[in-house]
Amino acid sequence: MITEADTCRRYVLPKLQAAGWDDEPHSFTEQRTFTDGRIVVAGRTVRRGPQKRADYLLRYTRDFTIAVVEAKAEYKQPGDGLGQAKDYAEVLGLNFAYSTNGHGIVAFDYLSGTERELQEFPRPDELWGRLRAKQGIGESAAERLLAPFNHQTGRSPRYYQEIAINRTVQAILQGKRRVLLTMATGTGKTDVAFQICWKLWNARWNRSGEHRRPKILYLADRNLLIDDPKDKQFASFGDARYKIENARVNYSREMYFAIYQALARDESRPGLYKEYARDFFDLIIADECHRGSAHDESNWREIVT
């Protein structure tokens, strides 16, 4: 009897290759585990639940996953794995889910809410084109959205971080003025912020449309929340980094860091933030934004408004 592994090797893999998913810059990953499994506590015993593992993740580029494929053994029906594929697609924030027994293919398109049978997998440019058309991603935004992550830090994004990064970058490229990311402690908020900045910086995005790198301000309310990221996660920005402190103003850098207190007005200072034009920064990231700057009566509010 032909097993699921045999089906993948004999039939599914050749179909993916024929559709161009093994041609640069496109790719696919096989048997990709993307969750560690839910933590289950029973009395004093702690264990992990089952991991989620996709048979194939289709990537339009290395850092932009676009579809998931679930393969079943040849003797099963093509659509037997569609429920599992849809579950994975929803977890991964993907719009295209496929199930196959190596011969027939059943596809579900979240953009249109339709299910249909196929004989071959769609090509990468077809899926990318459908996604762009539905979500209104223009040519310039598309190119910048596909800017690569920084993998040199050894901290490649996890699946939920990849979702947060790409959705945030897309929202910014499409002109959204405010974006809120809600992430639990320990899920890598600073890593996500770094990758967002890195993609936009390398893509030379800025609000004015000029050919230059953006000027980005990273705000927090404690020096520890500024110094640690500046010296560690954001080290790849090199000399582009600058910390605003000691009432010193600098206009020549691109990646700025500051605590609210260094910019805000008080009894003896009119507010250093007034030394920067309202449109000087293309992007402002407020770390831990639910704290001081969230209060309507806070004098820190005027810094970001």
Side-chain angles (χ1 to χ4, degrees):
M1 179 181 295
I2 294 181
T3 65
E4 185 176 303
D6 294 330
T7 300
C8 289
R9 185 178 64 255
R10 295 185 186 181
Y11 305 116
V12 182
L13 189 58
K15 282 181 177 288
L16 289 172
Q17 292 171 331
W21 288 102
D22 204 20
D23 301 334
E24 288 288 343
H26 320 302
S27 63
F28 59 84
T29 52
E30 300 179 71
Q31 296 298 313
R32 175 63 182 272
T33 299
F34 56 90
T35 71
D36 295 328
R38 184 184 297 275
I39 296 175
V40 180
V41 179
R44 296 184 178 180
T45 303
V46 179
R47 63 180 178 82
R48 287 278 187 181
Q51 297 176 321
K52 290 186 183 293
R53 176 181 296 179
D55 287 330
Y56 297 93
L57 293 179
L58 309 187
R59 300 181 179 275
Y60 187 73
T61 63
R62 174 183 178 179
D63 298 323
F64 196 92
T65 308
I66 199 168
V68 60
V69 177
E70 186 62 26
K72 296 300 180 185
E74 182 184 19
Y75 62 86
K76 294 190 176 182
Q77 295 298 311
D80 282 357
L82 188 61
Q84 192 172 357
K86 289 170 67 176
D87 174 50
Y88 292 169
E90 290 167 12
V91 172
L92 293 167
L94 305 177
N95 290 290
F96 306 105
Y98 298 92
S99 173
T100 181
N101 64 352
H103 299 291
I105 301 168
V106 178
F108 188 82
D109 183 338
Y110 281 89
L111 299 175
S112 61
T114 58
E115 179 181 319
R116 60 185 179 132
E117 296 182 1
L118 307 172
Q119 291 302 311
E120 307 295 339
F121 288 106
R123 299 188 65 81
D125 285 341
E126 178 186 342
L127 291 191
W128 179 233
R130 284 156 60 184
L131 182 66
R132 282 185 55 192
K134 184 66 175 182
Q135 298 187 350
I137 304 172
E139 190 68 36
S140 177
E143 182 179 349
R144 287 167 167 160
L145 179 59
L146 297 177
F149 295 150
N150 184 315
H151 295 276
Q152 297 175 350
T153 62
R155 300 164 71 102
S156 296
R158 302 192 64 171
Y159 78 92
Y160 58 86
Q161 294 172 334
E162 183 178 326
I163 295 170
I165 295 161
N166 286 330
R167 285 186 178 177
T168 302
V169 169
Q170 180 177 331
I172 293 170
L173 293 174
Q174 292 180 310
K176 299 291 177 60
R177 299 282 296 179
R178 291 173 182 256
V179 181
L180 175 65
L181 288 182
T182 305
M183 300 178 67
T185 299
T187 54
K189 295 188 293 293
T190 306
D191 290 333
V192 167
F194 163 70
Q195 294 289 359
I196 291 169
C197 294
W198 184 260
K199 281 172 71 77
L200 294 172
W201 190 73
N202 276 285
R204 292 183 179 271
W205 165 85
N206 57 77
R207 291 195 301 153
S208 64
E210 302 172 73
H211 183 68
R212 62 171 175 82
R213 298 190 190 276
K215 291 187 181 295
I216 302 172
L217 174 62
Y218 189 99
L219 274 175
D221 60 0
R222 286 184 290 167
N223 276 306
L224 178 63
L225 297 177
I226 289 297
D227 295 337
D228 202 55
K230 180 179 73 70
D231 296 336
K232 294 179 181 177
Q233 284 99 328
F234 286 79
S236 297
F237 282 93
D239 291 339
R241 295 169 298 166
Y242 180 79
K243 182 180 179 183
I244 302 173
E245 58 183 343
N246 301 323
R248 294 197 304 268
V249 177
N250 184 295
Y251 302 115
S252 63
R253 305 297 179 87
E254 293 155 347
M255 189 69 232
Y256 293 79
F257 298 83
I259 59 173
Y260 293 103
Q261 297 90 324
L263 296 174
R265 58 179 171 83
D266 56 28
E267 295 80 5
S268 59
R269 298 177 300 177
L272 192 64
Y273 75 93
K274 293 182 179 180
E275 298 295 325
Y276 294 93
R278 289 183 64 86
D279 60 353
F280 180 82
F281 295 108
D282 298 288
L283 176 66
I284 298 176
I285 294 178
D287 188 26
E288 304 286 2
C289 66
H290 62 284
R291 296 210 290 236
S293 61
H295 300 305
D296 290 333
E297 67 277 7
S298 171
N299 67 342
W300 296 351
R301 176 65 72 90
E302 61 187 309
I303 294 174
V304 294
T305 57

